[in-house]
Amino acid sequence: MKLMFDLQVLALQSDLTRVITFKMGFDQSNRSHPESGTNKGVHGASHHGNIPADVLDFNKINTYRGSQLAYFLAKLRDTMDGEASLLDKSAIVFGSPMGDPNLHNHRRCPLLLMGHANGALEGGLHLRAPRGTPMANVMLALIHRLGIDDMEQFGDSTGAFSLSA
């Protein structure tokens, strides 16, 4: 993952691209991440059955993946592009398609927006969407913040989710 993140930073820094899509792994994969502290595969660990030791293994995998994201964010923060860092100039969307993978629940999925998108995002906020809010509402709000104001809908959005406190 670090190599892929390094390549992404280079691509942004050299202006080879302005958009990158990166999936950390296939959630149904049985690939393990021994560097996480467990040899369990991602998919098997996600079906932990609420058994404390198995929940801990899944937590180890997610903590490891989160540390890789932190590595990427630090690289963006430490890479200057003119007067601002790449992190200040970027919008990074990170999330999961599962709210509770143990049950294959697609409700209340976690979503993070990082970076300042050239001042379009405030940062330092924790916002909780009301129950039943489509994730597409956040995407629509982000599109608006990035200057595309004439888009009234995105996917199954029901309106723009406020990205302010």
Side-chain angles (χ1 to χ4, degrees), residues 39-88:
N39 286 318
K40 287 191 176 177
V42 174
H43 188 240
S46 74
H47 292 291
H48 47 69
N50 292 321
I51 297 168
D54 294 342
V55 171
L56 183 59
D57 283 331
F58 189 51
N59 184 2
K60 288 176 182 176
I61 293 168
N62 285 308
T63 299
Y64 169 72
R65 285 180 166 184
S67 74
Q68 301 308 293
L69 177 64
Y71 170 84
F72 179 55
L73 295 172
K75 294 279 289 192
L76 291 173
R77 179 198 64 214
D78 297 341
T79 304
M80 297 304 291
D81 184 32
E83 297 296 315
S85 72
L86 284 177
L87 184 59
D88 287 332

Side-chain angles (χ1 to χ4, degrees), residues 104-158:
H104 281 208
N105 180 340
H106 300 282
R107 305 239 185 267
R108 307 221 35 92
C109 298
L111 184 67
L112 299 171
L113 294 180
M114 296 159 285
H116 289 284
N118 281 327
L121 296 173
E122 296 173 43
L125 299 174
H126 176 265
L127 305 171
R128 186 177 178 101
R131 193 172 292 283
T133 302
M135 191 180 288
N137 288 12
V138 174
M139 301 305 174
L140 182 62
L142 180 59
I143 290 166
H144 291 169
R145 288 280 182 107
L146 295 176
I148 304 170
D149 298 324
D150 59 347
M151 185 176 275
E152 295 178 20
Q153 188 166 8
F154 180 83
D156 67 348
S157 67
T158 58

